[in-house]
Amino acid sequence: MVLVYEQVLNGLQLGVTLFLLAAGLTLIFGIMGVINLAHGSLYMVGAYAAALTAAKIGSFLLAVPAGLAAAALAGMAMEYLVIRHLYARDHLDQVLATFGLILFFNQAVVLLVGRQPLFVAIPAALDGAVPVGAGIQYPVYRLAILAVGIAVAIGLYLLIGRTRLGMLVRAGATHRDMVRALGVDIRLLYTIVFGLGALLAGLAGLMAGPLLAVQVGMGEQILILTFVVVVIGGLGSIRGAFFGALIVGVVDTLLRAFLPGALRTVMQGSEADALGAGLSSMGVYLLMAAVLLVRPRGLFPAHG
Amino acid sequence: MAEAALAPATPAPAAGRTRTMLALVMLAAALLALPFVATALGDSSIITLATRIVILAIAAASLNLALGYGGLVSFGHAAYYGLGGYVVGILYASLREPMFGVLPATDQLLVTLPLAVIVGGVAALILGAMSLRTSGVQFIMITLAFAQMLFFLFVSLKAYGGDDGLSIRRRNALPFLNTRDETTFYFVCLTVAALYFALLRRVVGSRFGLVLGGIRQSERRMEALGIRTYRYKLVAFVISGMGCALAGALMANYARFVSPDMLHWTQSGEFMIMVILGGVGTWLGPAVGAAILILLETVLAAWTEHWQVVLGPLLVLIVLFGRSAVERVAARIAGRRS
């Protein structure tokens, strides 16, 4: 039971990381109708900028703004140079152009930094573990990620629901042409929303740095999980992204933690580990299929 | 007559038809002469490169049936391609040491190819039946996710090499032919491709093809006409999955190697690029696209190890500005757009 409790916490922590990505992806889709495969690249940019800053200067406090700024700037540049021209195009064009961006970002990082994964130390202030009940010592850093994720979720909720910008975002998602007709500078709004999405992706990346290896291709791994989140939650819905992310995070983590052990009781150790790892990777996709069979538009459809 | 005029890729005017026939004959002659020219030039790598292009052309054309004619933007066709490859790989591996004792084993191409096509079709039927409940972006994402699922499945199958893949010591055999000879294998692939493209042309020109095109243009109108669009889309998806499996089986023979990389999502992306480069919804366009992409990759890879840094932005530029230009050129070569 103790182990399950700990793994659920791990799952929630993966969940909020996924939420940071899914919120940006779903906002960008909801508002602009663009499917952005290169969203994972922004996550990677954030992680790399933070990791390099931390390695050069040795301060995680400075690494945070560096990662955020790099991701947001990369995102705005991406919007200005490429995405802006894709709003009116069909999804096929969007997929291909952003696929091209992924190729570019991945190779550019290989070119600039190399293929060696970077490892980031956990900041000293957040090192160590604290008791979280049931006799478990849980790493402070992971708790901090959880706290940041929940804070961002609340902040986004307030931003979308309570501010003028949020009002425009909601109006833009449902009645794009009307918003434009009322004289709102929709291009600026788009750039801001895209920058916000990029910022969140960068935040997720820089926080994941000390837990995972920072390496090329990290963006795509998590991007596809993010797609699963967005589809389960319902495209364009922030609330759906939040609950979808937590569900996917917990299910994925629990399967990874316990499936190999369960298989080991019926077959050999190494084979069970390999098969368990594979089957647990498949788990969330099966979950997605099940959700879509029951509710083709996801659990929390955005409109109607 | 009206149907013939509506049929995609069927140029009705007599002059156009003669010109298309002429272009086809010239294309066929060039493809047939290629190995002999390569041998005369003393560069056998041309033959293997051409074989790759021919095989990938089959996969791209298959995707094009769903994507171009049916408007089903699938981002997961590498799954069927990889499954086809694994059918060949597993059947061969079982030959050397029977696995689980139940799997059949063979190294006969005449058996492995149809089996690969059937397996690909069944997989496309199951995954397509679920994916087609969605549309638009959800469809793109769900096809991608299902392909990733199969990718992880093969990564986890240690018995079949897992991450490292499965090598096939010898190409599958054909009666009376030596498939290990590169030229012979090229002609085998070319024959399969020619038959497949001929079949595709018939499919696209048939009533089924017309309905499919109608669904792409307006699904609601087709439904209003009393057509069960779901069935048509599913059949198109299955045929297209079968074609990709066929290509995968040939590719496994060509490379004498299969690995989860064949199912990787970047492979799906490459198929889409081929279709776009050559022209969405054209008959021979995907073949042209396959040739362009493979040649581009070969040239860029010879120039720099980091060729994707160039290919990525190039792709963006083509999508943003040049798609119509590329399509026009490709359409010249490949016949008109529907």
mmCIF file of all heavy atoms in Angstrom, chain A residues 23 35 95 103 124 157 170 200 271 287 296:
data_model
loop_
_atom_site.group_PDB
_atom_site.id
_atom_site.type_symbol
_atom_site.label_atom_id
_atom_site.label_comp_id
_atom_site.label_asym_id
_atom_site.label_seq_id
_atom_site.Cartn_x
_atom_site.Cartn_y
_atom_site.Cartn_z
ATOM 1 N N ALA A 23 -1.905 21.734 -21.810
ATOM 2 C CA ALA A 23 -2.640 22.998 -21.747
ATOM 3 C C ALA A 23 -2.250 23.885 -22.929
ATOM 4 O O ALA A 23 -3.118 24.446 -23.610
ATOM 5 C CB ALA A 23 -2.338 23.701 -20.424
ATOM 6 N N ILE A 35 -2.577 22.375 -35.252
ATOM 7 C CA ILE A 35 -1.991 21.240 -34.573
ATOM 8 C C ILE A 35 -0.480 21.385 -34.658
ATOM 9 O O ILE A 35 0.091 21.430 -35.736
ATOM 10 C CB ILE A 35 -2.488 19.908 -35.160
ATOM 11 C CG1 ILE A 35 -1.702 18.747 -34.603
ATOM 12 C CG2 ILE A 35 -2.461 19.900 -36.666
ATOM 13 C CD1 ILE A 35 -2.320 17.417 -34.944
ATOM 14 N N VAL A 95 0.640 19.597 -40.012
ATOM 15 C CA VAL A 95 1.415 18.454 -39.531
ATOM 16 C C VAL A 95 2.776 18.418 -40.217
ATOM 17 O O VAL A 95 3.815 18.258 -39.576
ATOM 18 C CB VAL A 95 0.643 17.142 -39.798
ATOM 19 C CG1 VAL A 95 1.555 15.947 -39.662
ATOM 20 C CG2 VAL A 95 -0.516 17.012 -38.828
ATOM 21 N N LEU A 103 12.366 18.138 -37.074
ATOM 22 C CA LEU A 103 13.637 17.682 -37.647
ATOM 23 C C LEU A 103 14.698 18.745 -37.433
ATOM 24 O O LEU A 103 15.825 18.470 -37.028
ATOM 25 C CB LEU A 103 13.479 17.408 -39.145
ATOM 26 C CG LEU A 103 12.565 16.276 -39.565
ATOM 27 C CD1 LEU A 103 12.603 16.113 -41.072
ATOM 28 C CD2 LEU A 103 12.988 14.979 -38.906
ATOM 29 N N ALA A 124 20.031 22.726 -4.638
ATOM 30 C CA ALA A 124 20.329 22.374 -3.243
ATOM 31 C C ALA A 124 19.138 22.652 -2.321
ATOM 32 O O ALA A 124 18.848 21.870 -1.413
ATOM 33 C CB ALA A 124 21.553 23.155 -2.772
ATOM 34 N N TYR A 157 -6.698 28.781 -14.853
ATOM 35 C CA TYR A 157 -8.159 28.817 -14.657
ATOM 36 C C TYR A 157 -8.625 30.249 -14.442
ATOM 37 O O TYR A 157 -9.596 30.712 -15.051
ATOM 38 C CB TYR A 157 -8.522 27.925 -13.462
ATOM 39 C CG TYR A 157 -9.979 27.933 -13.124
ATOM 40 C CD1 TYR A 157 -10.883 27.220 -13.906
ATOM 41 C CD2 TYR A 157 -10.456 28.652 -12.042
ATOM 42 C CE1 TYR A 157 -12.225 27.228 -13.606
ATOM 43 C CE2 TYR A 157 -11.802 28.666 -11.730
ATOM 44 C CZ TYR A 157 -12.680 27.952 -12.526
ATOM 45 O OH TYR A 157 -14.019 27.974 -12.226
ATOM 46 N N ARG A 170 -11.442 32.910 -24.839
ATOM 47 C CA ARG A 170 -12.643 32.074 -24.927
ATOM 48 C C ARG A 170 -13.495 32.465 -26.131
ATOM 49 O O ARG A 170 -13.993 31.617 -26.870
ATOM 50 C CB ARG A 170 -13.464 32.210 -23.642
ATOM 51 C CG ARG A 170 -12.972 31.277 -22.537
ATOM 52 C CD ARG A 170 -13.772 31.491 -21.270
ATOM 53 N NE ARG A 170 -13.526 32.822 -20.710
ATOM 54 C CZ ARG A 170 -14.475 33.578 -20.158
ATOM 55 N NH1 ARG A 170 -15.700 33.158 -20.104
ATOM 56 N NH2 ARG A 170 -14.167 34.768 -19.670
ATOM 57 N N LEU A 200 4.748 27.525 -21.046
ATOM 58 C CA LEU A 200 4.366 26.377 -20.219
ATOM 59 C C LEU A 200 5.166 25.138 -20.609
ATOM 60 O O LEU A 200 5.608 24.381 -19.741
ATOM 61 C CB LEU A 200 2.867 26.100 -20.359
ATOM 62 C CG LEU A 200 1.934 27.179 -19.816
ATOM 63 C CD1 LEU A 200 0.489 26.793 -20.049
ATOM 64 C CD2 LEU A 200 2.186 27.404 -18.345
ATOM 65 N N GLU A 271 12.757 -11.319 -19.320
ATOM 66 C CA GLU A 271 11.689 -11.264 -20.328
ATOM 67 C C GLU A 271 10.476 -10.543 -19.785
ATOM 68 O O GLU A 271 9.839 -9.756 -20.483
ATOM 69 C CB GLU A 271 11.297 -12.680 -20.749
ATOM 70 C CG GLU A 271 12.417 -13.405 -21.478
ATOM 71 C CD GLU A 271 11.889 -14.149 -22.674
ATOM 72 O OE1 GLU A 271 10.677 -14.440 -22.694
ATOM 73 O OE2 GLU A 271 12.694 -14.433 -23.576
ATOM 74 N N LEU A 287 -6.132 2.785 -23.061
ATOM 75 C CA LEU A 287 -7.071 3.620 -22.309
ATOM 76 C C LEU A 287 -7.714 4.642 -23.238
ATOM 77 O O LEU A 287 -8.940 4.850 -23.218
ATOM 78 C CB LEU A 287 -6.314 4.328 -21.189
ATOM 79 C CG LEU A 287 -7.125 5.293 -20.323
ATOM 80 C CD1 LEU A 287 -8.056 4.516 -19.424
ATOM 81 C CD2 LEU A 287 -6.213 6.181 -19.498
ATOM 82 N N PRO A 296 -16.395 9.675 -28.292
ATOM 83 C CA PRO A 296 -15.456 10.005 -29.380
ATOM 84 C C PRO A 296 -14.850 11.404 -29.268
ATOM 85 O O PRO A 296 -13.797 11.654 -29.832
ATOM 86 C CB PRO A 296 -16.331 9.901 -30.634
ATOM 87 C CG PRO A 296 -17.438 8.992 -30.249
ATOM 88 C CD PRO A 296 -17.682 9.222 -28.788
#
